[in-house]
Amino acid sequence: MYKIAVIGGDGTGPEVVAEGLKVLKASSKKFGFSYTHEAFDYGSERYLKTGKTIDDKELDNLKAFDAIFLGAIGHPDVKPGILEQGILLKTRFALDQYINLRPVKLYDARYCPLKDKTPEDIDFVVVRENSEGLYKGMGEFQNKGKSDEVAIQISHNTRKGVERCLRYAFEFTGKRNKRKKLTLCGKTNVLTYAWDLWQRTFDELKKEYPGIETDYAHVDATTMWFVKNPEWFDVIVTDNMFGDIITDLGAMIQGGMGIAAGGNINPAGVSMFEPIGGSAPKYTGKHVINPLAAICAAGMLLDNIGEDKAAKAIENSVIKVASTKLKSLAAGKMGYSTEEVGDLVVENL
Ligand code: IPM
Ligand code: MN
C-alpha cells in the first residue's frame, strides 16, 4: 500500500493534478497495486490567508510518504520568490531531492516547432543538480539603494553535491536503453571555479563507467544544439541554474509546457513529481489547461516507486492520445477540455 502526498497548489495545479489522480486510480485497478493519498493545502491561498508557506513539521511529515505529487506553486498577487522559495525550493532542499530529472521526448512530430525533426530525433533526459549552485541563495547587497550598490549572488558547489549528481547521471545513462552517452553541460571557459570542479569530478568518475561515452558542451552551445541537432543527446547533466534554463527550451522542442514533466528525486528518500509548466493563472478554472504533463508526472512517480509496468502503460496511452486525438498540446487548443483529455488517457490505458 503506497502513501502518496498530493499538493495541488496554485492556479491550474489542482485541475491538472485531478486528472493525474484519475489516471493513477485507473492504473492501480489495471495493474493491481493500491495506494492511499492525502491532500495538503500548501500554496498561495493558505499563504494569503495566514502568511504561512511550509514549516519544518509539515516538511517532516512529507518524509513519511512514498512520493509527492505536486501541481504548481506561484500566484500573481504574491511577490515573486516568496512561494517559490518558501514552498517549492524549501521542499526540494528539505527532502534532499538533489536530482531534477526532466525527460525531453517528442511524442508526435506535429508538435515539434523544429523543421524536419521527428520523435526519433528528440528523446533525451536532462539530469539537473537540484540542491546547490545559484539556488543556494547565498550572497549579499552592499550599499543597498545607493548609486554604488553591489549585489552578489554566489554559486555554491560542493564536491559532495557535484559528485552525487554526476554519479546519478552516469548510473542513469547506464540503465537507460539508448546510446549510453552522457554530456556534461557547463561553462568551463568562463566560470572557472565552479566548472573546474564539475569537469574534474566528471573526468574522475568517467573512469569508473567505461561503458559510457562522455562528451562536454558549453551551455550556450547546448541551447544551439537543442534546436539544430537534438538527436545528438542521450543524457545531459548540468548544474541547477543551467538545468532550469535549458529544460524550458527542452519543453518547447518536445511540444510545450503542456507535455513536460519532471521529478525531484532523492534516490534514498521521498521524491516529488510535477508538471514543469507553472500555475498558468490566466487559464485557471477554464478547463482548458493540458493535463498531459501532470499525467506524465504521475507516470514518473509510479516508475519511481516501482510500478514500472503501469508507468510504461501511462506513457503509451499519453502517446496515443497526443498523436491520434489532440489537435494541439496548447491550452485551449486541444479540441478537448482538461477533463476530457484525462478521460481519454484512462480509456487508452
Ligand atoms: C522550475 C521552476 C522553479 C525553478 C521556480 C518556480 C523556482 O522554474 O521548476 O524549473 O527555478 O526551479
Ligand atoms: Mn524552470
Side-chain angles (χ1 to χ4, degrees):
M1 178 74 90
Y2 302 112
K3 281 176 69 186
I4 299 172
V6 179
I7 305 170
D10 299 326
T12 51
E15 295 170 50
V16 296
V17 157
E19 300 314 304
L21 289 175
K22 195 192 263 178
V23 174
L24 223 48
K25 190 170 172 186
S27 53
S28 81
K29 285 203 188 110
K30 198 169 160 71
F31 291 91
F33 63 89
S34 45
Y35 65 96
T36 58
H37 63 99
E38 191 178 336
F40 295 94
D41 65 351
Y42 312 139
S44 63
E45 210 175 294
R46 186 176 89 147
Y47 174 77
L48 289 167
K49 260 191 241 142
T50 66
K52 263 181 91 173
T53 50
I54 186 166
D55 66 30
D56 293 345
K57 224 181 118 208
E58 291 164 339
L59 287 165
D60 243 20
N61 181 40
L62 287 176
K63 293 182 186 158
F65 288 83
D66 292 296
I68 305 165
F69 186 30
L70 171 72
I73 297 289
H75 193 283
D77 296 344
V78 182
K79 193 178 159 218
I82 293 184
L83 299 169
E84 292 86 342
Q85 288 192 330
I87 300 176
L88 183 61
L89 297 182
K90 202 168 167 185
T91 306
R92 287 177 182 171
F93 290 165
L95 300 187
D96 207 16
Q97 294 161 342
Y98 63 85
I99 297 296
N100 197 317
L101 195 66
R102 296 191 164 175
V104 176
K105 189 164 172 181
L106 176 64
Y107 288 140
D108 187 284
R110 280 184 298 146
Y111 301 130
C112 188
L114 306 177
K115 192 164 163 278
D116 300 333
K117 296 296 177 189
T118 66
E120 286 77 61
D121 300 314
I122 300 177
D123 180 10
F124 60 88
V125 178
V126 177
V127 175
R128 163 186 173 190
E129 203 291 323
N130 210 31
S131 66
E132 297 193 335
L134 281 165
Y135 278 67
K136 203 94 178 200
M138 291 171 78
E140 63 174 349
F141 292 113
Q142 289 166 1
N143 305 328
K144 191 170 182 187
K146 310 245 173 65
S147 59
D148 58 349
E149 177 169 352
V150 180
I152 300 171
Q153 191 90 45
I154 292 172
S155 175
H156 189 262
N157 300 264
T158 65
R159 166 73 197 212
K160 178 176 165 246
V162 170
E163 183 172 334
R164 67 181 182 175
C165 173
L166 290 173
R167 202 170 277 289
Y168 180 92
F170 274 105
E171 299 282 339
F172 182 86
T173 309
K175 283 187 209 125
R176 186 171 139 86
N177 202 12
K178 243 207 134 184
R179 286 164 50 206
K180 311 247 180 268
K181 177 177 164 189
L182 179 63
T183 304
L184 177 68
C185 162
K187 193 71 186 173
T188 53
N189 54 348
V190 176
L191 307 178
T192 50
Y193 297 107
W195 285 96
D196 190 80
L197 173 61
W198 277 84
Q199 178 85 69
R200 260 185 292 124
T201 313
F202 188 73
D203 290 345
E204 270 174 46
L205 286 194
K206 74 183 180 196
K207 296 182 197 128
E208 293 179 39
Y209 299 92
I212 292 172
E213 184 195 340
T214 56
D215 194 8
Y216 171 83
H218 292 318
V219 62
D220 48 348
T222 302
T223 63
M224 175 181 78
W225 283 319
F226 270 22
V227 174
K228 201 168 168 281
N229 297 99
E231 65 279 5
W232 286 356
F233 296 110
D234 177 6
V235 180
I236 298 170
V237 61
T238 189
D239 78 358
N240 212 340
M241 186 78 259
F242 293 165
D244 177 48
I245 297 167
I246 67 172
T247 52
D248 268 27
L249 180 56
M252 290 320 291
I253 64 172
Q254 74 180 121
M257 289 301 184
I259 194 83
N264 302 276
I265 313 281
N266 176 344
V270 185
S271 301
M272 175 167 75
F273 299 85
E274 53 178 339
I276 77 171
S279 59
K282 71 174 178 189
Y283 298 120
T284 305
K286 301 214 157 80
H287 307 276
V288 295
I289 194 80
N290 187 346
L292 289 182
I295 291 168
C296 289
M300 290 180 76
L301 183 156
L302 288 180
D303 189 58
N304 180 264
I305 61 179
E307 296 298 331
D308 41 315
K309 278 206 189 92
K312 194 77 212 137
I314 291 177
E315 186 180 31
N316 287 337
S317 177
V318 166
I319 294 174
K320 187 135 184 237
V321 170
S323 56
T324 64
K325 301 280 182 189
L326 302 197
K327 287 204 287 226
S328 160
L329 296 177
K333 296 180 182 152
M334 300 184 289
Y336 297 91
S337 70
T338 303
E339 292 76 8
E340 285 168 338
V341 174
D343 291 340
L344 284 169
V345 176
V346 167
E347 279 163 33
N348 285 280
L349 209 54

